[in-house]
Amino acid sequence: MKTTLIFCLALLPIVAPAQDKVFKAGAATSNITPPLGMTIVGNFAPQPISKQVHDELHVRCLALDDGKTKLVFAVADNLHLARDVWDEAKKKLEADTGIPASHMMFSATHTHSSVSAITNKDAGVDYRSLVISRVVDGVKRALNNLEPARIAWGTGKLPQWVGNRRWILKEGVTNPNPFGGEDRAVMNPSGMLIPRLEGPAGPTNPEVYCLSLQATDGRQIALLANYWLHYVGGVPREDLSADYFGEFCRRIEQSLGAPCVGILANGPCGDVNSNDYSGKTPAVNYKPYEKIKAVAGDLAQEVLRVRQTLKHQDWVPLQAAASDLELAVRRPTPEMVKWAEGVLAKPKDAAPVHRLEQPYAERVMAVKTAKPDTIQAYIQAFRIGDLGITSIPFEVFTETGLVIKARSPFKDTFTIELASGSNGYLPTPRQHDLGGYETWLGTNRVEREASVKITAKALELLQSVHAAP
């Protein structure tokens, strides 16, 4: 019996010990600074020609790999990039790397001191192709840099630099809009309107989100932050600059040393800037770039503080989901068309009723017959362990981001805006009722209920990646 037992054991297969799962991360940057002489976008006409580079523009790339699934992030220093730009970059990367396009989340920071990649050429320079090639190169280099890593995330708070820029006027008080109507809400109120304000039209989010990637020997690979604040500005009109986004990244990299890549992805801040209209904060006359440095410095300090408190994990699961959402294009009413025709028929030397009536009359007529009647908004959701991340191709109001965060199945969730395209501002239905710059036709391009539909789609995608094995 004993001999038989030994014989049977000898016939059993030898099973190798299970290998531990290995999590990897890699990061890289690509320079996307355009040549001088191109038109700087981000303001109403006349738009200046770039004559100086204050600081280089970059696309900052991060790759994650749990051994089964790879996720890729890229954040570009640009006002916004059209979906076709991102789609072409993703198509090239999918063909070369095998990573599905749905696993790539690409966004713009929204600096107002960059040049357009929507039109293919400006001053004889094909900037669109340059951006695409540099995004592709940057992501490939991040993938080439993949190495065993540890990961952690957390949140801090920086409330002093986020203020709702839309304010509601007191009952019975309105402000004229370019279309000959009156608004109850006003953007960036000043002068005589200040004592007539009732309060901010929406909330702000004081939180800053931090995603930390470290090599197994303790080197910092990348530090990605998400803060819900518009560009800061204070940049001379003819300068190219990455605004506070670039300054933040430089400070992170200087603090943590090479080869760390700092990344700042913008969150839902379509109605938020760094100004306080309550009258509680004394006005400050900042010199060029002074406020950018103040905001970036405070933000970097808070993110570095949060990093010190994080407990890194050796492995977390990754998941991705994405879906197109069809939204109706907003059209002008017959009354708006009649108004626009009247404005455009005025003599060139006629005094305007509103300083922006001419550009908005042109926008109304352009939207009147533009095709198609719908757009496809590409909504994404990523799972990184117990962290959920969504992306929306609009300038999203903070209220929408907070609703997604509150209803998300994940303990921690943040949203990246201006990802996979740029379709204008995304007011909530209530904000549409209040009026104001962000709700005007030509600034807002899609149906009134778009924010409600996008919120539902983002939550649906978060649920799907949360439930995935």
Side-chain angles (χ1 to χ4, degrees):
M1 192 70 178
K2 189 175 188 180
T3 305
T4 304
L5 178 60
I6 293 172
F7 177 74
C8 291
L9 288 173
L11 293 177
L12 290 175
I14 298 174
V15 179
Q19 291 188 345
D20 292 336
K21 297 176 180 178
V22 177
F23 186 85
K24 295 181 179 181
T29 64
S30 282
N31 192 309
I32 58 169
T33 307
L36 297 179
M38 300 186 73
T39 303
I40 294 177
V41 294
N43 297 289
F44 284 98
Q47 294 178 329
I49 301 300
S50 61
K51 294 183 179 179
Q52 178 63 288
V53 177
H54 175 268
D55 52 283
E56 304 280 353
L57 309 183
H58 293 87
V59 57
R60 300 171 181 274
C61 307
L62 174 65
L64 306 178
D65 182 359
D66 69 359
K68 181 181 177 181
T69 301
K70 290 186 177 73
L71 303 180
V72 173
F73 296 84
V75 181
D77 291 322
N78 198 274
L79 178 69
H80 50 65
L81 290 165
R83 178 172 177 174
D84 66 277
V85 174
W86 290 131
D87 281 354
E88 188 169 333
K90 290 177 182 179
K91 183 178 179 181
K92 291 176 182 291
L93 284 164
E94 186 171 18
D96 291 346
T97 69
I99 300 173
S102 60
H103 289 49
M104 306 176 195
M105 189 184 290
F106 296 170
S107 67
T109 59
H110 200 56
T111 173
H112 273 228
S113 303
S114 62
V115 307
S116 174
I118 297 175
T119 53
N120 198 39
K121 292 185 178 181
D122 182 6
V125 178
D126 189 350
Y127 188 60
R128 180 182 183 278
S129 294
L130 185 150
V131 169
I132 291 170
S133 67
R134 299 305 287 151
V135 170
V136 172
D137 286 352
V139 170
K140 286 182 177 179
R141 289 167 50 223
L143 291 167
N144 290 341
N145 290 338
L146 282 170
E147 62 175 308
R150 301 164 65 236
I151 184 170
W153 56 88
T155 61
K157 288 192 175 182
L158 193 68
Q160 66 265 35
W161 290 118
V162 286
N164 198 292
R165 70 180 193 178
R166 286 171 50 81
W167 280 65
I168 300 175
L169 297 165
K170 291 179 180 179
E171 191 67 39
V173 180
T174 57
N175 193 56
N177 60 44
F179 311 100
E182 298 288 329
D183 291 335
R184 186 75 198 284
V186 60
M187 179 187 76
N188 298 339
S190 61
M192 295 177 58
L193 286 177
I194 293 292
R196 306 169 80 183
L197 300 177
E198 179 178 293
T204 60
N205 181 14
E207 292 186 307
V208 53
Y209 304 90
C210 172
L211 179 65
S212 173
L213 289 308
Q214 292 183 348
T216 53
D217 63 5
R219 285 177 294 107
Q220 192 75 33
I221 295 172
L223 197 59
L224 183 151
N226 175 251
Y227 191 47
W228 299 13
L229 171 66
H230 235 71
Y231 78 105
V232 170
V235 177
R237 282 175 55 82
E238 296 173 344
D239 280 14
L240 292 169
S241 173
D243 206 274
Y244 85 99
F245 311 100
E247 181 68 18
F248 166 84
C249 294
R250 288 190 294 276
R251 296 199 180 207
I252 292 297
E253 292 162 358
Q254 289 165 3
S255 296
L256 300 179
C260 173
V261 174
I263 306 172
L264 180 55
N266 209 348
C269 62
D271 54 346
V272 173
N273 64 20
S274 59
N275 299 327
D276 178 12
Y277 299 103
S278 68
K280 298 176 182 178
T281 304
V284 178
N285 292 320
Y286 290 100
K287 296 178 182 178
Y289 298 104
E290 188 176 7
K291 192 174 185 181
I292 283 175
K293 291 179 180 179
V295 174
D298 288 349
L299 184 59
Q301 183 178 2
E302 178 64 1
V303 168
L304 290 169
R305 184 197 67 79
V306 172
R307 172 183 170 272
Q308 293 293 333
T309 69
L310 300 178
K311 295 182 179 179
H312 288 73
Q313 302 178 59
D314 294 326
W315 186 88
V316 296
L318 305 176
Q319 294 286 346
S323 177
D324 272 314
L325 175 65
E326 187 172 70
L327 299 170
V329 171
R330 185 177 168 190
R331 300 298 187 191
T333 63
E335 293 78 13
M336 293 178 87
V337 172
K338 183 177 180 180
W339 163 84
E341 290 173 340
V343 169
L344 296 176
K346 286 183 178 180
K348 292 188 180 297
D349 58 351
V353 175
H354 189 285
R355 68 183 183 87
L356 296 177
E357 66 178 16
Q358 181 77 22
Y360 276 91
E362 293 171 355
R363 293 184 186 191
V364 165
M365 298 308 293
V367 172
K368 177 176 177 287
T369 57
K371 299 294 181 181
D373 293 326
T374 61
I375 66 159
Q376 298 294 328
Y378 194 60
I379 315 298
Q380 290 181 275
F382 282 1
R383 174 189 179 184
I384 301 176
D386 295 326
L387 171 67
I389 304 175
T390 62
S391 77
I392 299 174
F394 286 84
E395 292 188 60
V396 185
F397 278 31
T398 291
E399 179 183 347
T400 297
L402 290 175
V403 170
I404 292 171
K405 180 178 182 294
R407 298 180 185 175
S408 169
F410 290 92
K411 179 181 177 182
D412 296 302
T413 302
F414 66 79
T415 295
I416 297 175
E417 72 168 22
L418 290 174
S420 301
S422 172
N423 297 294
Y425 282 89
L426 188 68
T428 63
R430 173 179 169 270
Q431 297 294 338
H432 273 288
D433 291 340
L434 294 172
Y437 169 78
E438 298 87 351
T439 71
W440 295 344
L441 178 62
T443 305
N444 165 256
R445 307 173 191 167
V446 291
E447 59 180 286
R448 173 189 169 86
E449 300 296 317
S451 68
V452 178
K453 294 180 179 181
I454 286 172
T455 298
K457 178 58 67 174
L459 290 169
E460 175 189 316
L461 294 172
L462 284 171
Q463 289 286 356
S464 70
V465 295
H466 184 263

